[in-house]
Amino acid sequence: MPLPPATPPSAGKDHVEGMVRSVSGGVIQLRTRSGSATVDFAPATMVTEAAPAKLADVKPGSCVSARAAQPGQPAQTVKISPAVNGSCLPPPEATSGGTPAPAQSGAPTGVFGQVTSVSPNTIAMNTLAPGGKVTPVNVPVGDSTTYSNDAVTNGQAITDGKCMAAQGTEGDGGLKATAVSLQPCPPMGGHHHHLPHLPIHLPFHI
């Protein structure tokens, strides 16, 4: 039976990403593409870290972010994250415009949603478009698709040299993070890619 759409909680509208330069107490200093940034985190901040995964790790109810080179082509990357209380939090880019393609025409190049079913060649999901509209999308996958899984961890995983994205609310002294997602840094000299969205939903105690 398809999962009913859930109304996602908010994790804050502001977002920053970069490489961790230092961590002291609850304060993270980041090196960003434009300079530097400060991120404050607390015991209630959800922290996840990406690890390799496979199609078998994609389950109904999971939250998934998929990207393809062209609409309708098999996804190049699929990023899995857990739902909390039945909700998936859209990434910041999902609220900035655009409407997902309907299921029969294939997934757009980038899509985020909650998985309803999985087959060897397709991940079916419900996406949440701007304004809260839920749209079913079929994401084709193939042998070339790579998978990663955001596992819940704690603040001790935030260490120098890791890349991270944080979501929360800008305040005095920097971003007050409600969600932190740790990712492998791209190779030195390689093309910089935006870090994936934050698949974080509700507070997790460190």
Side-chain angles (χ1 to χ4, degrees), residues 95-205:
T95 60
S96 62
T99 301
Q104 62 268 24
S105 65
T109 55
V111 64
F112 175 80
Q114 189 165 23
V115 176
T116 57
S117 66
V118 183
S119 71
N121 299 313
T122 304
I123 299 172
M125 66 174 69
N126 285 330
T127 68
L128 187 64
K133 179 182 178 182
V134 174
T135 304
V137 170
N138 288 336
V139 177
V141 294
D143 294 339
S144 62
T145 303
T146 60
Y147 302 85
S148 62
N149 193 357
D150 261 338
V152 174
T153 181
N154 55 50
Q156 293 181 354
I158 305 172
T159 57
D160 296 3
K162 289 186 178 180
C163 285
M164 59 166 273
Q167 190 169 346
T169 303
E170 284 286 353
D172 292 338
L175 182 81
K176 311 298 182 183
T178 53
V180 169
S181 178
L182 300 169
Q183 310 290 338
C185 290
M188 293 299 292
H191 178 69
H192 178 86
H193 295 279
H194 284 286
L195 291 174
H197 77 272
L198 291 166
I200 314 304
H201 317 277
L202 295 174
F204 176 80
H205 289 284

Side-chain angles (χ1 to χ4, degrees), residues 12-113:
K13 63 181 178 62
D14 299 314
H15 175 264
V16 66
E17 61 184 44
M19 179 185 288
V20 178
R21 296 175 58 189
S22 66
V23 185
S24 178
V27 180
I28 306 164
Q29 298 295 335
L30 289 181
R31 179 184 298 118
T32 68
R33 287 173 297 166
S34 59
S36 61
T38 300
V39 176
D40 293 338
F41 69 100
T45 301
M46 174 75 94
V47 181
T48 63
E49 186 163 17
K54 53 188 181 297
L55 179 60
D57 296 315
V58 182
K59 308 289 187 183
S62 297
C63 306
V64 163
S65 175
R67 288 198 168 275
Q70 297 292 332
Q73 289 186 357
Q76 294 176 313
T77 60
V78 171
K79 187 174 179 63
I80 311 160
S81 58
V84 176
N85 292 338
S87 295
C88 291
L89 178 68
E93 61 268 22
T95 60
S96 62
T99 301
Q104 62 268 24
S105 65
T109 55
V111 64
F112 175 80

